Amino acid sequence: MDTILDTILDKHRNARRDALIPILQEVQEAKGFLSRESVAAIGEILNLPTSKIYGVATFYNQFRFSPLGAQHVQICRGTACHVKGSAAVLDALERELDIEAGQTTRDGQFSLEVVACIGACGLAPVISVNGEFHAGVLPEDVNNIINSYRVDEEVQADAK
Amino acid sequence: MFTIQINNRNIQAKAGETILQVLKREGIKVPTLCHLEDLFPTGACRMCVVEVEGMDGLIPSCAFPVSKDMKILTHSPKALQARKTIIELLLANHPDDCLFCVRNGNCDLQSLSEEFGIRQRRYSGVKDNYNIDSSSPSIIRDPAKCILCGKCVRICEEIQGVSAIDFINRGSEATIGPAFNEGLNVSSCIYCGQCINVCPTGALREKSDIKRVLDALNDPDKLVVVQHAPAISVSIGEEFNIKPGKDVMGIMTSALRRIGFDRVFDTSFAADLTIMEEGSELVSRIKNGGKLPMMTSCSPGWIKFVEEFYPEMMDNLSTCKSPQQMMGAVVKSYYAERENLDPKKIFSVSLMPCTAKKFEAERPEMSNNNIPDINAVLTTRELARIIKMRGLDLNDMEPEGPDTPFGERSSAGKLFGVSGGVMEAALRSAHFLITGKEMDDPQITAIRGLDGIKEAHVKIGDLEIGVAAASGLANARNLMEQIKNGRDDIHFIEIMTCPGGCINGGGQPIGKDLDAIKSRMKGLYQIDRDASNRLSHHNEYVNRLYEEFFEAPNSHKAHELLHTHYHKRDVMK
Ligand code: SF4
Ligand code: SF4
Ligand code: SF4
Ligand code: FES
């Protein structure tokens, strides 16, 4: 039994379909992501097929479908960062972590998220790892930054 | 009625009609990609745009109603240019795959780019790198070829009531797929193939068994037995420009022999056998207070649907295997014994208008001592491909008769190909089983035709039986909800997964309209009208099969070989 989910869903027993987005937001807020189980349970309450819910949820950029990693990497794709080349940094991150934005590495260490604007335009292009900012990041810096967060001992030894 | 002008000609139109409906009636062809007859228009593709005097911009004819004095230009330079640009944009990220594509020669996108004389790639987009989904036993999805017309999504939701797939993401990332973009095998997809039939491109296709069948045909150690489903003989002709509904059974039989099949049997024989089992089961449920309403079990998409969405009603399903599987079972038992054959050396092929039959044949319950009843299932389309591959043409062949003992059929068995037909066949025989007499008129008109749900109350002796036949699973869902809500005047329910029944199955020739479906239906009714035997219980070979092998319907042995059971399925639904 998943009590967090149940408590949220209990509040929405009689909800209508137009409550879908708020419910998705609430569940994501509480659980960090939308799991298959959550989506199936929401579908049951709203009498909506999971394919439809997934379709709606992927239409908006705000939902994720895998849990956050131990280290949550956010990359800003706001205008200032974009102008300073954040697209290439995102590419480098995706390659380094071998996941796409919105996903989590298999070992659960890292998750990657694209955010609109962190509000640190002076530092562009900027990424944040669990809230720690890295300013003026170049694609070639990505490997070092990520390695400094890896818990894998070998890599840390290498980094020293 | 009022007058409108189309291409400077006066034309009568009715309020409430869409422009496209009027154009169709007048024989004016405007291309469409997302339009689905009888479903609410989405106006997604804009291929059907026309110019309307006094209106800004171009108007999608499929989604716009006519009004008095409207002046329409269907092929103005502006409209043509817009359509051409749409095609060019669709081609921008389309794979250059026509030569290797299952829809080569039968693809809307391909024929449109030919019609518009597109000779170069004017826009080039980033090619999407999508994985092909071949996880299901029946359907293959190739999202790179998808043009996002949305027809598959709508047919799956509105006609089949399944909603296994939907749009995912948006903009240039948009694609179609099941929840969490997983394989169809873990989705609620029931493998009906209706989405394939409406797909304008090669983005959806059946999982082909052609290679395995050809290999078996070339294997000297294998006896290759083939059976053909009731609906195929009235539809396969269309692949050879024969008109829909024409029964080509004899010609098809000779084609099958020339291809190299060792025995040609008729699934309608097994349909007669099914009637004996299912009719007896119904009679016994009624007499002994068994679970009612009893629901037919010959449509494998429907079975999966019940296992997923209505597991609490699995006991209402008849335990009978489908005719395909019954044929498979008797070929590898009774027939093998009689002919002194090793069942392992029999390769049993079935020709089906259906993609879900591939899934059915793979169900673990559908085997005996680990030998599958059926080894390979080919759709009508795949059969046509093999016939063409062998250089044969149904137009210039002499008809031949089927093989004994499983080639003999009543026309009741043939009615399995149309919605209401299983019911009709079953009632004819149930009447005999209960009263010992034949029905005065074997034709039960109330359950004929293309309506989604058909009902009748039929008198059999002192019994009055309420029957309902539904096709298209959205209609089945409707009926299930009525039953769950306490409706109890219905004792026997026939469900066929595809709208109208197997004549409109997901394995049938692509690109056919409602008229073709109606003609196929008429074709089967015609066969029934002309038949010398219209009653399953008078199929001489079925009766002999009971005498020599099964003893009686629902006997222990019959249960072992001809009946099955069902499992609740947990899928993302
Ligand atoms: S889907 Fe049509 S256009 Fe695309 S490769 Fe196949 S035949 Fe060619
Ligand atoms: S095969 Fe049927 S159930 Fe599956 S996606 Fe296509 S239409 Fe839906
Ligand atoms: S898969 Fe086919 S039917 Fe479905 S949206 Fe794509 S092109 Fe249209
Ligand atoms: S057919 Fe009219 S918009 Fe697609």
Side-chain angles (χ1 to χ4, degrees):
Chain A
M1 282 280 54
D2 182 335
T3 45
I4 303 178
L5 184 63
D6 286 343
T7 330
I8 296 176
L9 294 184
D10 267 342
K11 290 193 299 193
H12 296 282
R13 286 286 154 205
N14 300 311
R16 291 197 332 213
R17 287 178 175 198
D18 50 15
L20 176 60
I21 303 276
I23 297 179
L24 289 173
Q25 284 167 333
E26 222 176 305
V27 171
Q28 166 145 312
E29 181 75 12
K31 317 251 326 166
F33 73 111
L34 299 173
S35 67
R36 284 161 177 68
E37 294 70 27
S38 304
V39 168
I42 296 169
E44 225 146 88
I45 288 218
L46 296 179
N47 198 12
L48 270 175
T50 52
S51 62
K52 227 142 231 105
I53 299 180
Y54 186 72
V56 169
T58 53
F59 188 83
Y60 301 97
N61 256 332
Q62 49 177 302
F63 297 109
R64 47 181 304 121
F65 304 94
S66 41
L68 293 185
Q71 313 289 337
H72 186 49
V73 184
Q74 291 176 306
I75 169 160
C76 179
R77 292 283 282 123
T79 315
C81 288
H82 178 72
V83 171
K84 294 269 178 98
S86 64
V89 180
L90 174 59
D91 267 0
L93 278 169
E94 291 188 331
R95 243 174 298 126
E96 174 68 31
L97 298 171
D98 201 12
I99 53 173
E100 281 172 33
Q103 297 180 334
T104 303
T105 54
R106 232 169 241 285
D107 60 7
Q109 271 198 54
F110 291 95
S111 50
L112 180 58
E113 184 187 9
V114 171
V115 291
C117 180
I118 308 188
C121 304
L123 309 175
V126 66
I127 69 175
S128 110
V129 183
N130 278 4
E132 249 174 55
F133 284 88
H134 297 260
V137 180
L138 299 173
E140 50 269 37
D141 302 336
V142 161
N143 174 269
N144 270 335
I145 298 176
I146 294 299
N147 275 348
S148 69
Y149 289 96
R150 287 197 196 274
V151 292
D152 191 311
E153 279 149 20
E154 245 173 79
V155 176
Q156 291 223 320
D158 276 2
K160 264 178 208 156
Chain B
M1 286 292 245
F2 46 74
T3 307
I4 62 173
Q5 236 186 43
I6 302 178
N7 302 337
N8 302 315
R9 275 173 42 221
N10 285 345
I11 281 166
Q12 295 295 306
K14 281 197 292 279
E17 284 184 302
T18 62
I19 298 177
L20 185 68
Q21 280 169 330
V22 179
L23 296 179
K24 278 214 169 138
R25 198 176 55 230
E26 294 298 320
I28 302 169
K29 206 185 139 212
V30 161
T32 61
L33 282 173
C34 69
H35 177 68
L36 273 173
E37 214 135 349
D38 294 332
L39 293 190
F40 200 75
T42 58
C45 75
R46 301 193 61 85
M47 265 314 286
C48 65
V49 287
V50 295
E51 236 182 292
V52 177
E53 198 183 281
M55 295 187 87
D56 280 348
L58 294 163
I59 304 297
S61 60
C62 69
F64 208 83
V66 287
S67 58
K68 197 162 170 300
D69 299 328
M70 199 176 230
K71 292 198 173 96
I72 299 163
L73 291 176
T74 58
H75 288 74
S76 68
K78 213 167 132 196
L80 287 175
Q81 186 52 51
R83 287 181 207 142
K84 187 168 182 189
T85 305
I86 292 169
I87 301 163
E88 288 178 320
L89 287 171
L90 288 173
L91 292 176
N93 66 349
H94 199 83
D96 295 312
D97 229 12
C98 292
L99 279 176
F100 310 99
C101 184
V102 68
R103 293 293 289 271
N104 188 3
N106 187 17
C107 165
D108 292 352
L109 184 60
Q110 190 189 54
S111 56
L112 281 170
S113 47
E114 163 59 16
E115 274 166 34
F116 280 80
I118 291 168
R119 291 288 171 267
Q120 57 169 343
R121 199 184 281 286
R122 276 221 299 147
Y123 307 100
S124 60
V126 185
K127 293 260 188 324
D128 307 302
N129 208 353
Y130 292 119
N131 292 332
I132 290 182
D133 174 12
S134 54
S135 63
S136 99
S138 303
I139 315 272
I140 293 187
R141 297 189 309 120
D142 186 353
K145 291 180 186 166
C146 171
I147 58 170
L148 300 172
C149 71
K151 287 206 255 186
C152 54
V153 172
R154 284 151 70 207
I155 206 113
C156 189
E157 174 177 357
E158 295 174 44
I159 301 296
Q160 296 301 54
V162 173
S163 292
I165 47 177
D166 206 333
F167 284 89
I168 297 174
N169 298 327
R170 67 168 155 184
S172 64
E173 309 254 283
T175 175
I176 303 276
F180 292 89
N181 213 354
E182 286 191 291
L184 274 182
N185 61 334
V186 292
S187 78
S188 57
C189 172
I190 49 141
Y191 308 139
C192 67
Q194 285 298 310
C195 51
I196 300 179
N197 288 21
V198 296
C199 182
T201 72
L204 296 166
R205 63 177 194 263
E206 69 265 277
K207 187 174 260 183
S208 177
D209 268 322
I210 290 181
K211 170 133 196 333
R212 284 180 49 235
V213 171
L214 295 181
D215 286 349
L217 287 168
N218 291 329
D219 182 343
D221 285 340
K222 287 258 161 21
L223 182 94
V224 187
V225 174
V226 71
Q227 58 168 311
H228 52 86
I232 292 203
S233 74
V234 293
S235 64
I236 179 102
E238 294 160 41
E239 296 273 4
F240 300 85
N241 289 324
I242 297 171
K243 63 179 193 329
K246 173 139 176 50
D247 182 24
V248 297
M249 176 154 86
I251 307 171
M252 179 172 71
T253 303
S254 56
L256 292 172
R257 291 227 174 82
R258 292 200 216 174
I259 288 167
F261 289 104
D262 298 304
R263 300 286 184 280
V264 182
F265 292 145
D266 189 339
T267 310
S268 304
F269 165 89
D272 284 334
L273 180 61
T274 306
I275 288 300
M276 296 309 288
E277 291 297 318
E278 196 162 333
S280 310
E281 184 183 356
L282 177 67
V283 171
S284 123
R285 285 192 193 213
I286 291 176
K287 284 192 175 152
N288 306 326
K291 190 91 172 168
L292 292 172
M294 186 173 93
M295 311 193 295
T296 56
S297 55
C298 35
S299 187
W302 156 241
I303 296 296
K304 188 164 186 267
F305 184 83
V306 175
E307 292 175 323
E308 293 170 0
F309 294 101
Y310 293 98
E312 70 279 13
M313 296 183 78
M314 287 188 318
D315 288 344
N316 293 73
L317 286 171
S318 160
T319 58
C320 288
K321 287 184 183 173
S322 70
Q324 158 176 288
Q325 296 304 143
M326 285 205 186
M327 176 67 88
V330 293
V331 164
K332 290 195 184 177
S333 58
Y334 168 79
Y335 187 73
E337 248 173 76
R338 193 181 103 151
E339 305 286 308
N340 231 333
L341 294 163
D342 177 357
K344 285 201 197 73
K345 293 201 169 148
I346 299 178
F347 191 88
S348 197
V349 179
S350 68
L351 310 174
M352 292 283 142
C354 181
T355 46
K357 287 280 168 192
K358 292 175 185 271
F359 155 73
E360 180 180 55
E362 281 188 17
R363 289 182 66 120
E365 303 85 34
M366 300 299 167
S367 59
N368 190 17
N369 297 324
N370 286 326
I371 303 173
D373 293 343
I374 295 293
N375 297 86
V377 178
L378 300 177
T379 60
T380 317
R381 298 187 289 265
E382 290 172 276
L383 171 61
R385 269 171 230 147
I386 294 191
I387 296 177
K388 288 175 188 167
M389 206 185 279
R390 298 294 284 251
L392 300 169
D393 184 345
L394 295 188
N395 288 291
D396 39 48
M397 277 174 142
E398 288 303 314
E400 287 176 15
D403 288 298
T404 46
F406 303 145
E408 165 108 3
R409 58 149 176 84
S410 78
S411 64
K414 201 73 180 162
L415 287 181
F416 269 58
V418 0
S419 164
V422 176
M423 175 71 70
E424 197 167 332
L427 289 175
R428 290 177 190 177
S429 291
H431 191 279
F432 179 78
L433 290 173
I434 292 174
T435 65
K437 290 198 288 272
E438 310 297 358
M439 282 178 136
D440 295 335
D441 182 2
Q443 178 172 327
I444 307 171
T445 311
I447 48 174
R448 290 194 165 194
L450 281 174
D451 288 345
I453 302 183
K454 298 166 282 187
E455 296 183 9
H457 285 88
V458 183
K459 274 201 98 62
I460 301 183
D462 324 323
L463 279 173
E464 187 178 282
I465 301 187
V467 301
S471 65
L473 293 183
N475 292 318
R477 197 184 269 281
N478 176 342
L479 200 54
M480 288 307 103
E481 291 302 318
Q482 294 179 29
I483 304 293
K484 272 176 70 175
N485 289 330
R487 186 168 176 196
D488 61 1
D489 62 319
I490 300 289
H491 308 99
F492 188 24
I493 294 178
E494 176 212 283
I495 306 284
M496 292 195 189
T497 302
C498 295
C502 317
I503 46 169
N504 191 20
Q508 294 280 41
I510 280 177
K512 301 298 164 181
D513 56 8
L514 194 61
D515 286 339
I517 312 303
K518 282 186 187 150
S519 303
R520 294 173 193 163
M521 180 173 255
K522 274 201 207 119
L524 288 179
Y525 289 150
Q526 180 74 39
I527 291 170
D528 181 48
R529 196 164 340 131
D530 298 345
S532 52
N533 173 21
R534 302 174 72 180
L535 306 166
S536 300
H537 54 278
H538 284 184
N539 182 324
E540 193 190 319
Y541 284 92
V542 167
N543 291 334
R544 202 181 292 177
L545 182 61
Y546 280 111
E547 275 158 36
E548 292 176 13
F549 194 65
F550 285 122
E551 290 162 23
N554 296 351
S555 67
H556 179 71
K557 196 161 190 173
H559 263 281
E560 215 165 80
L561 288 169
L562 306 180
H563 290 251
T564 184
H565 50 272
Y566 310 105
H567 303 282
K568 180 177 186 314
R569 279 171 201 270
D570 276 320
V571 292
M572 284 300 278
K573 55 175 190 245

